[in-house]
Amino acid sequence: MNRFEGKVAIVTGGGAGIGAAAAERLASEGCKVIVTGRRPEPIEKVATAIGGLALAGDAADNDHLLAAVELAEKEFGGLDILVNNAGTGTGGPLLELELDEWKRVLDLNLFGAINATRAAIPAMRKRGGGSIVNVSSVSSARSRLGGAIYESSKASLNAMSRSFAVEFAPERIRSNCVCPGVARTELADYAYGLVAEKKGVSLEEVYSEIGSVYPMRRVAEAAEVGAVIAFLASDDASFVTGTELTVDGGGSALNVTTFGIK
């Protein structure tokens, strides 16, 4: 498959996990990819492996995002695809969280995607269209104790994505969200590794426990989310815009009040 032959993409937060998986999938189908991220070594490794280019920087920094678009146009001739994957999260009780923590998460998860989109639109107009894929989360529509900051940022990202879909549809620029559940990534391994250590069990046992509540009885692999990102970025999804595509093994379809009752 060469769905992306002649296409150019920017993937933010592309040094590991879902971002790296998306960059690898796009490149495997002919796309030229600019990989961005705060850590130079991981993005250089991914970019080298896929024949792309790396640009180190913070996705919350507007100048960095403008530089990424400029690099795409200078080195590859334009920009067709933007994957807003860079994100962060923190949690805790409302009254214990400082407003600076809210600002830090919103600056990256929401305003980073807004600024990246603002930077990308003029370049996409030159190409006669494009595709923006925002990596959100099932947490945009589900809540847990202490999850207000992250959940708010992702719900706002979904709303932003829908609004941009409506605004830019006449110019053949599409905007969609991917909403993963738990996926195996470097960050997830670290977070659930702490859980495993606290419980005195292995990381695999923790993932198995999490997966047991999904209808498919496992968590996702990053590559599976990357494949969905590639679909939304491709012309196979040419009439798909303004949507949130859930990738959670049926978790959102589950009625938890009856789960396990036979």
Side-chain angles (χ1 to χ4, degrees), residues 55-72:
L55 183 67
D58 191 334
D61 178 2
N62 189 49
D63 289 340
H64 164 66
L65 298 168
L66 290 169
V69 174
E70 182 179 349
L71 182 64

Side-chain angles (χ1 to χ4, degrees), residues 12 59 62 65 69 79 82 84 111-121:
T12 70
N62 189 49
L65 298 168
V69 174
L79 180 66
L82 171 64
N84 283 314
F111 290 104
I114 290 172
N115 286 331
T117 301
R118 284 168 58 91
I121 291 294

Side-chain angles (χ1 to χ4, degrees), residues 144-169:
R144 62 177 177 82
L145 288 173
I149 296 180
Y150 183 75
E151 292 158 7
S152 297
S153 71
K154 292 301 186 180
S156 297
L157 179 65
N158 289 7
M160 177 213 79
S161 184
R162 291 193 301 270
S163 293
F164 289 168
V166 173
E167 181 174 351
F168 297 110

Side-chain angles (χ1 to χ4, degrees), residues 118-198:
R118 284 168 58 91
I121 291 294
M124 290 181 175
R125 282 172 169 160
K126 295 176 188 176
R127 305 280 269 193
S131 177
I132 301 159
V133 184
N134 299 297
V135 180
S136 183
S137 168
V138 293
S139 295
S140 61
R142 304 286 186 274
S143 294
R144 62 177 177 82
L145 288 173
I149 296 180
Y150 183 75
E151 292 158 7
S152 297
S153 71
K154 292 301 186 180
S156 297
L157 179 65
N158 289 7
M160 177 213 79
S161 184
R162 291 193 301 270
S163 293
F164 289 168
V166 173
E167 181 174 351
F168 297 110
E171 299 179 76
R172 299 182 64 249
I173 297 173
R174 298 180 296 107
S175 175
N176 292 288
C177 281
V178 171
C179 298
V182 176
R184 291 211 62 160
T185 65
E186 179 183 299
L187 184 60
D189 283 353
Y190 172 76
Y192 291 118
L194 296 177
V195 174
E197 185 178 340
K198 184 176 180 180

Side-chain angles (χ1 to χ4, degrees), residues 6-250:
K7 301 289 187 180
V8 181
I10 292 173
V11 179
T12 70
I18 290 171
E24 289 161 3
R25 182 58 182 261
L26 291 169
S28 74
E29 297 188 43
C31 195
K32 295 296 184 182
V33 184
I34 306 289
V35 183
T36 80
R38 285 178 287 190
R39 297 178 297 160
E41 289 185 7
I43 62 170
E44 287 284 358
K45 182 178 180 180
V46 172
T48 298
I50 65 174
L53 294 173
L55 183 67
D58 191 334
D61 178 2
N62 189 49
D63 289 340
H64 164 66
L65 298 168
L66 290 169
V69 174
E70 182 179 349
L71 182 64
E73 292 190 301
K74 178 181 177 182
E75 297 297 329
F76 295 140
L79 180 66
D80 306 281
I81 298 161
L82 171 64
V83 179
N84 283 314
N85 172 72
T88 188
T90 189
L94 173 63
L95 300 182
E96 296 177 14
L97 293 169
E98 299 293 334
L99 289 180
D100 283 349
E101 294 179 86
W102 286 80
K103 186 176 185 302
R104 179 178 67 84
V105 175
L106 289 169
D107 277 348
L108 182 56
N109 292 7
L110 179 61
F111 290 104
I114 290 172
N115 286 331
T117 301
R118 284 168 58 91
I121 291 294
M124 290 181 175
R125 282 172 169 160
K126 295 176 188 176
R127 305 280 269 193
S131 177
I132 301 159
V133 184
N134 299 297
V135 180
S136 183
S137 168
V138 293
S139 295
S140 61
R142 304 286 186 274
S143 294
R144 62 177 177 82
L145 288 173
I149 296 180
Y150 183 75
E151 292 158 7
S152 297
S153 71
K154 292 301 186 180
S156 297
L157 179 65
N158 289 7
M160 177 213 79
S161 184
R162 291 193 301 270
S163 293
F164 289 168
V166 173
E167 181 174 351
F168 297 110
E171 299 179 76
R172 299 182 64 249
I173 297 173
R174 298 180 296 107
S175 175
N176 292 288
C177 281
V178 171
C179 298
V182 176
R184 291 211 62 160
T185 65
E186 179 183 299
L187 184 60
D189 283 353
Y190 172 76
Y192 291 118
L194 296 177
V195 174
E197 185 178 340
K198 184 176 180 180
K199 296 179 69 170
V201 299
S202 71
L203 177 60
E204 293 302 323
E205 287 175 294
V206 171
Y207 276 124
S208 179
E209 183 180 350
I210 296 168
S212 70
V213 303
Y214 285 97
M216 293 191 73
R217 299 299 191 273
R218 65 178 179 85
V219 301
E221 297 296 332
E224 293 177 300
V225 184
V228 175
I229 292 170
F231 163 70
L232 288 174
S234 76
D235 289 341
D236 288 340
S238 59
F239 204 61
V240 180
T241 195
T243 194
E244 292 104 42
L245 184 49
T246 301
V247 188
D248 72 345

